[in-house]
Amino acid sequence: MIYWQLFWAFVQAGIFCVGGGYASMPLIESQVVAGHGWLTMQEFIDIFTISQMTPGPIGINAATFVGTKVAGVPGAVCATAGFIFPSFFIMLGLVLLVEKYGDIGAIRGVLNGLRPTVVAFIASAGIGFILLALWNTETLPKDFTKVSLIGCIVLPLALAAVVKKISVIRVLIFSGVLGLLLGTFLGK
Amino acid sequence: MYWQLFKSNFIISAFTIGGGYVIIPLMKAKVVDEYHWLTDEEALNLAAIGQSAPGLVAVNTAIGIGYKIGGIKGALVGVLATALPPLITITAISYAYTAFCDNQYVQYVLKGMQCGATAIIINVVLDLIKKQWQKKLLLPFVLIAVALAAHFFFHVNLMYLLLLNGLIGLIFMKDKKYN
């Protein structure tokens, strides 16, 4: 039964995927391309590229795409549910452990070391995003004068809104509308 | 409260491109800075556990935050709200995804939203660094700077950095002042 197979394939990918979205790629590939032959390698690479461009967590996007391709909408639901299923129990278990034993010196030490690391990851994503917003590139731009018009207008305005403590959701929606208006009338 | 949690996770997941470390600061801005359901430390702990555990960082963190706020029910609500938008948008566009992604108006909206997300991330990062600064401790700062440089410029795998800094924390940061 295809739905069960999809669910189970993604349960396995979910258990062994350590390190987030990009790390899930080879695991999903081994299940759906090499293992079951549901997709060709080219189809799979296309799916991953699009998963990065569409909103939402990359792994969920990929699971949904693969599920839809293989078995339509029910397939997408099965694949996504399978992918999340192990996370749910593992994560709850870990949070309970930390709640119970978080005061022990060793665990507190590890968490104290991990928190600055997470700040660094967020900062790293932030720098990448600034480059993407202003110069349409995720690495340092070769030509700093080639700025994105939308980025140069929307980013400062959005920053001003954020500093004024306007709700995150409103900032996102306002930025999207502004992007559409600027793009339509002025070009990218 | 479940509804607020659902709404904010749903919209964040529906409109942010770029995966875990873009979604996490947005969630943090919402549940810590706007609703005050969690403290900075709690949110960062959950993100750290979410990154270390198997599975997707954004999904794991959503489960953890949901659990902290509203128990098992909260965890279910949180993860459902994070997984549903991609499920809906992608099944809807999967039959014509190239047409969708290449559409210039869609591109403009996404570009604008990406700028908005950037502004929120900048604010979250500056805020976290400012608070770290006020504690006047050197070691966490060194960890931030080294991990940032290693990850951004040298593309060192996140897991190695977590392993290394977890170890440093285990040896040098057991003291309560680092909490």
Side-chain angles (χ1 to χ4, degrees):
Chain A
M1 162 119 158
I2 186 74
Y3 299 127
W4 175 249
Q5 282 180 335
L6 262 174
F7 181 80
W8 184 236
F10 276 91
V11 166
Q12 292 174 56
I15 292 177
F16 295 109
C17 148
V18 178
Y22 294 101
S24 68
M25 183 171 170
L27 285 160
I28 298 178
E29 188 271 332
S30 75
Q31 290 288 340
V32 303
V33 181
H36 291 282
W38 285 324
L39 300 174
T40 65
M41 196 61 194
Q42 189 54 52
E43 284 175 309
F44 180 74
I45 292 172
D46 286 346
I47 282 179
F48 241 87
T49 315
I50 296 156
S51 298
Q52 291 172 48
M53 300 190 310
T54 41
I58 293 164
I60 297 285
N61 294 349
T64 310
F65 263 121
V66 172
T68 314
K69 275 239 166 192
V70 176
V73 176
V77 174
C78 291
T80 309
F83 210 24
I84 294 172
F85 193 70
S87 289
F88 197 77
F89 296 101
I90 298 170
M91 195 59 201
L92 283 188
L94 284 174
V95 172
L96 284 175
L97 276 180
V98 169
E99 272 189 348
K100 204 162 175 200
Y101 301 109
D103 253 352
I104 293 175
I107 295 185
R108 191 172 55 223
V110 171
L111 286 173
N112 287 347
L114 293 184
R115 255 183 275 116
T117 324
V118 171
V119 174
F121 294 163
I122 298 176
S124 172
I127 298 175
F129 253 51
I130 295 173
L131 296 175
L132 203 58
L134 296 182
W135 290 283
N136 291 323
T137 158
E138 271 178 272
T139 46
L140 286 177
K142 290 186 189 78
D143 183 359
F144 276 92
T145 55
K146 269 193 187 162
V147 290
S148 149
L149 196 62
I150 297 181
C152 286
I153 298 174
V154 181
L155 182 57
L157 284 175
L159 255 179
V162 170
V163 171
K164 288 221 154 130
K165 299 207 183 297
I166 291 173
S167 148
V168 168
I169 309 290
R170 284 203 189 125
V171 171
L172 281 178
I173 293 174
F174 155 85
S175 307
V177 173
L178 203 58
L180 178 64
L181 291 176
L182 287 171
T184 309
F185 293 111
L186 299 171
K188 217 168 182 176
Chain B
M1 188 187 69
Y2 291 120
W3 171 239
Q4 280 174 325
L5 177 67
F6 184 87
K7 203 174 65 179
S8 51
N9 276 12
F10 189 91
I11 295 181
I12 288 170
S13 175
F15 293 119
T16 35
I17 297 177
Y21 284 98
V22 179
I23 294 178
I24 288 170
L26 297 187
M27 283 185 191
K28 192 242 158 209
K30 203 77 196 165
V31 300
V32 178
D33 304 332
E34 259 180 68
Y35 292 137
H36 306 288
W37 285 333
L38 298 176
T39 64
D40 280 338
E41 280 72 26
E42 285 173 318
L44 288 178
N45 275 346
L46 290 169
I49 302 170
Q51 169 74 58
S52 319
L56 302 165
V57 194
V59 171
N60 285 348
T61 310
I63 294 172
I65 289 179
Y67 178 76
K68 275 275 190 186
I69 296 170
I72 305 268
K73 235 200 234 166
L76 276 172
V77 169
V79 74
L80 210 66
T82 309
L84 266 183
L87 205 61
I88 297 168
T89 25
I90 289 180
T91 31
I93 64 168
S94 70
Y95 301 100
Y97 51 69
T98 30
F100 176 82
C101 290
D102 290 342
N103 181 291
Q104 60 164 335
Y105 297 106
V106 173
Q107 288 287 326
Y108 293 146
V109 173
L110 292 180
K111 172 80 190 170
M113 286 191 159
Q114 192 250 321
C115 296
T118 309
I120 296 163
I121 300 175
I122 293 176
N123 191 51
V124 165
V125 171
L126 289 182
D127 182 57
L128 287 172
I129 290 181
K130 198 178 84 194
K131 281 181 187 151
Q132 193 64 253
W133 180 253
Q134 285 161 351
K135 289 185 186 170
K136 305 211 187 304
L137 294 166
L138 182 66
L139 196 53
F141 251 100
V142 176
L143 290 191
I144 293 178
V146 171
L148 176 58
H151 182 239
F152 188 77
F153 292 109
F154 303 105
H155 306 288
V156 178
N157 190 313
L158 299 182
M159 295 314 284
Y160 295 135
L161 292 171
L162 282 175
L163 218 58
L164 178 74
N165 286 356
L167 206 64
I168 293 175
L170 179 63
I171 301 169
F172 299 108
M173 298 168 79
K174 279 188 214 161
D175 198 289
K176 273 215 163 93
K177 69 176 181 191
Y178 289 110
N179 274 22

